[in-house]
Amino acid sequence: MSWFSNFLTSSIGRKVVMSLTGLFLIIFLAVHLVGNLQLLAGDGGKAFNLYAEFMTTNPLIKTTSYLLYAGILLHAFQGWALWRKNRKARGSKGYAVKVNKVAGTNSFAASNMGWLGTIIFVFIAVHMYQFWLQMKLGATPMATYDGKEVKDLYALVSTAYENIGFVIFYVVSMVVIGYHLVHGFQSAFQTLGINHRKYTPFIQGLGKAYAILIPLGFAVIPIVMYLRG
């Protein structure tokens, strides 16, 4: 297995892992947004709480969630390793290493992926602490629907979004995620060799649309909930 470990620790190996985990996380974001939009249903949280109950009790979903956690950590670690290697190369060679820009991506995002990724990781840690950890620790009120008692995660979320500071932090984090996605989406396909003059323009367009619409969808939720009071 030495060849495999050598591959994973090489620059190309790390980039492949980054691409695969990145695409997995991109799919997760779209699914997660569909669920979170139920926060805006205007039914006092019923739709969102029942959705959350299904997601946290279904065996298949629970197994997938462990893959998600592993994917986040692996993506972050490999990204950090590549960033550290590039910084070390700049220091040892005494000149600025040019960023390999992917055609059709944002140059700011391409040259600042390390910092953008760090901000996103901090956001995920805060997000997990504020919602996932509170749910796991049992610090969540209960709600009853049709005789079935479930955790009232809607109350937890709505309380958090009463804080304008957290709403601003969330929205700014979504802007950062958008910048991260606009480069990462196309870069992932190129790293995996999916790069053809016939299909690349479509992938680029899809990536830009995704990088705008998905973060925008997430950002709208806390804003609307805060304005509702």
Side-chain angles (χ1 to χ4, degrees):
M1 294 295 289
S2 60
W3 67 269
F4 186 66
S5 60
N6 289 336
F7 172 74
L8 290 181
T9 54
S10 67
S11 292
I12 185 62
R14 292 186 190 281
K15 290 178 180 179
V16 168
V17 172
M18 284 278 292
S19 298
L20 293 175
T21 54
L23 291 174
F24 174 61
L25 295 175
I26 283 171
I27 294 172
F28 162 75
L29 281 177
V31 175
H32 192 46
L33 176 59
V34 171
N36 279 15
L37 285 174
Q38 296 181 68
L39 287 163
L40 305 181
D43 58 359
K46 180 179 179 180
F48 179 74
N49 284 335
L50 292 178
Y51 161 80
E53 171 71 9
F54 170 76
M55 295 295 285
T56 54
T57 57
N58 183 279
L60 179 60
I61 301 298
K62 289 177 69 175
T63 301
T64 304
S65 68
Y66 295 128
L67 294 176
L68 171 65
Y69 306 146
I72 291 173
L73 292 175
L74 188 56
H75 189 79
F77 176 78
Q78 295 290 55
W80 174 82
L82 282 170
W83 176 73
R84 184 170 178 270
K85 184 176 181 179
N86 289 338
R87 284 179 61 86
K88 186 176 180 180
R90 285 198 296 269
S92 63
K93 294 180 181 179
Y95 64 89
V97 176
K98 293 182 179 180
V99 177
N100 291 324
K101 296 179 181 179
V102 178
T105 63
N106 184 281
S107 60
F108 172 82
S111 59
N112 291 278
M113 287 296 277
W115 294 112
L116 294 174
T118 300
I119 295 171
I120 293 169
F121 189 78
V122 170
F123 165 76
I124 292 174
V126 172
H127 192 69
M128 294 286 283
Y129 169 78
Q130 199 152 25
F131 301 120
W132 181 85
L133 187 61
Q134 301 307 313
M135 179 187 68
K136 292 297 182 181
L137 291 177
T140 310
M142 304 299 290
T144 303
Y145 304 109
D146 302 322
K148 181 179 181 180
E149 191 175 52
V150 300
K151 290 186 177 182
D152 191 357
L153 297 182
Y154 178 84
L156 202 64
V157 175
S158 60
T159 298
Y161 291 157
E162 290 174 358
N163 185 329
I164 185 61
F166 184 73
V167 171
I168 292 173
F169 169 69
Y170 193 101
V171 172
V172 170
S173 297
M174 291 305 106
V175 173
V176 173
I177 287 177
Y179 272 108
H180 192 76
L181 286 171
V182 77
H183 172 72
F185 193 100
Q186 166 63 13
S187 180
F189 283 96
Q190 179 166 305
T191 297
L192 297 174
I194 306 174
N195 192 20
H196 189 278
R197 61 187 178 86
K198 183 178 180 180
Y199 306 114
T200 297
F202 171 75
I203 294 174
Q204 291 174 355
L206 179 62
K208 289 178 181 178
Y210 186 97
I212 294 172
L213 295 177
I214 297 299
L216 180 62
F218 278 110
V220 163
I221 295 171
I223 293 174
V224 170
M225 294 185 71
Y226 176 79
L227 294 177
R228 280 181 180 175

